[in-house]
Amino acid sequence: MKRETLKNQKGGIKLTAKSSNGVFANAPIAAMITIALAAAFLLCGYELVRSPAKSFYIGVYGSDKIPYAMLGGALLTLLFVYGYGWLITLLGTRRTIFLTSLFSAAVIIFCYVAIRNGSRSAVAVLYVFREAYIVVVLEQYWSFVNSILHVEQAKKFNGPFTGIASLGAIVGALIVGRYAELIGSETLLLFGAVSILPAALFSDISYRLGGEPAPSADERGLKSIALSLFKDSSYLRRIGLLIILTQLVSATFGLRLWELLENSIVDTDARTAYMGNLYASINISAGVLQFVVAPIVLHYIAFKFIHPGIPIIHIGAAALLIARPSLFTGALAYFLFKSFDYSIFRASKEIFYIPLSFDCRYRAKEVIDSFGYRASKGGVGGILSLANMIFKSIPGVTYAVVAMGSAFTWMLTVKNLVRQHDDMLEQDSTNSGEQET
């Protein structure tokens, strides 16, 4: 791929100018299809792991101990991201995604065997690891997509890409909902691990077809997560803050739902089935938004309206959960968050990374969207764990109040981020025009 590295003096970030030949001149349609298929298999496997892992954990430790696991997930994600950073330096991006995928499958199989043999520790390991592996592997797919698409192309293709990926998630969730009580939650873990293998294969094929993104000359060298990028860039820091705020909403909605679920459904397999059906509904809703709504919204509606509009929806859901707390309203708030997070928010958020350099797309992005994603949840977990120790119990309404406040701050933050993004694109266009002249 032909690239030139530019410097955005206002944003303090390196931009990447792409040639104007179009996406399919540089990355064949087959590359886009295969990376989407990889994501579909990965998310299918994740659904087969997520619900059993959560159900096992609630059954063994109780929902009040989930904050501890969330904190552990954040710490493990940091370790995973750090190792990933060294791997892409030593092995390149294509081999790294293949290796991290196989490693993830191996750990899940190990946990399956240990749980079958009655290990309580393996339940905790599984819950913590599933928090880490999915974000680290999935964000590598998006780094690849962001490397071969232009902004206008992403507005067309990001929605369908997430839609194809979500088909796998829908299948996985439906399998959980239908078969959890028939074959047992443990067996689902084994199928989840196996599903990662075709994901690894398709991702490798996609890199071979589309080309392997590589750092520019001044970005080469031994480094891991390149934290200096954040020191130099207010833009990256603002994206990081955005992710933290969104996951505060997600974590608090989730914790309130698991609390309500534990009080409503006591049987482990029945609880797993309920979560499987809930995630299936989320994924079906997200699929409609991804294939139909997202391309239309991203094409016809300006970013300055799309991004602030999403947290407004969550403010309303939090208000309803405060006014009428129940399993239904808890599930509804979680359903709305995940549906929009997997579709319109994801498709539009990834566009923030497209103009940036290799290190920003492959290193800074993993720090933000993997570690930042889990650290924000882990931070909530740590605070709530401390509060539980001090006050013995936390009123359920606290979760919805925190979600509402986080969503309001999210709305204010993203307005500034969109403004900075638009300024960067304008400067990038101006610089490209000057170079052509």
Side-chain angles (χ1 to χ4, degrees):
M1 277 177 262
K2 181 180 178 182
R3 296 178 175 274
E4 296 175 6
T5 302
L6 306 174
K7 182 73 173 180
N8 180 350
Q9 299 295 340
K10 184 175 181 179
I13 193 70
K14 289 182 178 179
L15 306 180
T16 300
K18 302 182 183 181
S19 64
S20 59
N21 295 330
V23 62
F24 298 131
N26 291 324
I29 294 177
M32 297 300 298
I33 293 174
T34 50
I35 197 66
L37 289 174
F41 276 103
L42 179 73
L43 291 176
C44 178
Y46 179 62
E47 292 297 339
L48 297 174
V49 172
R50 171 164 59 174
S51 294
K54 194 166 293 181
S55 188
F56 285 141
Y57 192 89
I58 291 174
V60 173
Y61 298 102
S63 65
D64 60 315
K65 298 298 189 298
I66 287 180
Y68 296 103
M70 291 166 59
L71 182 59
L75 296 175
L76 182 59
T77 302
L78 176 61
L79 182 62
F80 208 149
V81 169
Y82 187 80
Y84 154 84
W86 285 109
L87 284 176
I88 61 171
T89 298
L90 299 173
L91 303 177
T93 56
R94 181 177 64 83
R95 292 184 178 87
T96 295
I97 194 170
F98 192 78
L99 182 61
T100 52
S101 299
L102 295 184
F103 173 74
S104 299
V107 172
I108 295 170
I109 291 173
F110 169 80
C111 290
Y112 160 77
V113 173
I115 291 172
R116 291 275 294 184
N117 285 281
S119 172
R120 289 168 56 91
S121 298
V123 170
V125 171
L126 175 67
Y127 190 99
V128 169
F129 183 75
R130 67 101 191 173
E131 291 267 299
Y133 92 87
I134 186 61
V135 289
V136 173
V137 177
L138 185 61
E139 293 308 327
Q140 291 179 72
Y141 296 169
W142 277 108
S143 293
F144 176 73
V145 171
N146 293 339
S147 297
I148 61 176
L149 292 180
H150 300 285
V151 170
E152 292 304 315
Q153 294 162 338
K155 291 180 179 180
K156 297 178 182 178
F157 301 125
N158 278 7
F161 170 79
T162 56
I164 293 173
S166 72
L167 293 177
I170 292 170
V171 171
L174 289 174
I175 291 173
V176 173
R178 182 167 183 176
Y179 294 106
E181 295 181 271
L182 294 176
I183 64 176
S185 300
E186 295 94 341
T187 305
L188 293 175
L189 297 178
L190 186 60
F191 287 116
V194 171
S195 185
I196 298 176
L197 302 181
L201 176 62
F202 277 116
S203 66
D204 190 68
I205 293 172
S206 186
Y207 268 72
R208 292 179 182 274
L209 293 171
E212 182 174 0
S216 60
D218 62 344
E219 293 178 298
R220 296 191 184 112
L222 289 177
K223 50 189 159 184
S224 179
I225 52 181
L227 291 179
S228 61
L229 293 170
F230 295 92
K231 179 181 178 181
D232 298 335
S233 171
S234 62
Y235 184 72
L236 288 176
R237 293 195 300 270
R238 192 163 279 134
I239 297 177
L241 177 59
L242 173 64
I243 296 304
I244 290 172
L245 292 169
T246 61
Q247 295 315 302
L248 284 175
V249 177
S250 176
T252 47
F253 276 159
L255 286 168
R256 182 58 171 146
L257 174 58
W258 311 140
E259 182 181 71
L260 293 166
L261 179 60
E262 182 184 26
N263 294 332
S264 302
I265 303 175
V266 296
D267 180 71
T268 297
D269 289 336
R271 197 165 49 232
T272 298
Y274 177 89
M275 287 188 287
N277 289 324
L278 174 61
Y279 286 126
S281 299
I282 289 170
N283 292 327
I284 291 170
S285 172
V288 174
L289 292 171
Q290 289 157 349
F291 281 113
V292 180
V293 180
I296 296 173
V297 168
L298 292 178
H299 183 72
Y300 290 104
I301 301 178
F303 260 29
K304 64 181 180 180
F305 300 119
I306 296 173
H307 274 287
I310 297 173
I312 291 175
I313 294 172
H314 303 320
I315 291 172
L320 179 61
L321 185 55
I322 292 171
R324 301 179 67 95
S326 67
L327 181 57
F328 172 76
T329 55
L332 177 63
Y334 192 73
F335 170 87
L336 289 173
F337 179 86
K338 290 297 184 181
S339 294
F340 280 93
D341 186 57
Y342 292 163
S343 57
I344 296 175
F345 177 75
R346 165 65 90 166
S348 57
K349 183 263 293 184
E350 290 299 327
I351 294 174
F352 287 136
Y353 290 103
I354 290 177
L356 306 183
S357 66
F358 175 89
D359 272 351
C360 292
R361 283 179 281 109
Y362 271 90
R363 298 182 191 276
K365 176 176 169 54
E366 283 286 351
V367 174
I368 294 171
D369 291 337
S370 293
F371 174 64
Y373 187 95
R374 292 307 187 204
S376 53
K377 286 188 175 182
V380 171
I383 293 171
L384 293 177
S385 299
L386 180 61
N388 271 322
M389 287 189 291
I390 297 174
F391 302 108
K392 304 305 179 182
S393 65
I394 299 174
V397 70
T398 303
Y399 299 119
V401 171
V402 173
M404 179 181 286
S406 301
F408 182 77
T409 309
W410 166 4
M411 180 179 64
L412 299 178
T413 299
V414 80
K415 287 183 178 180
N416 293 325
L417 181 59
V418 169
R419 188 179 303 113
Q420 191 172 9
H421 170 262
D422 291 344
D423 289 343
M424 290 173 60
L425 288 183
E426 183 178 353
Q427 181 176 341
D428 191 15
S429 177
T430 300
N431 290 336
S432 298
E434 291 175 353
Q435 288 183 351
E436 289 179 2
T437 301

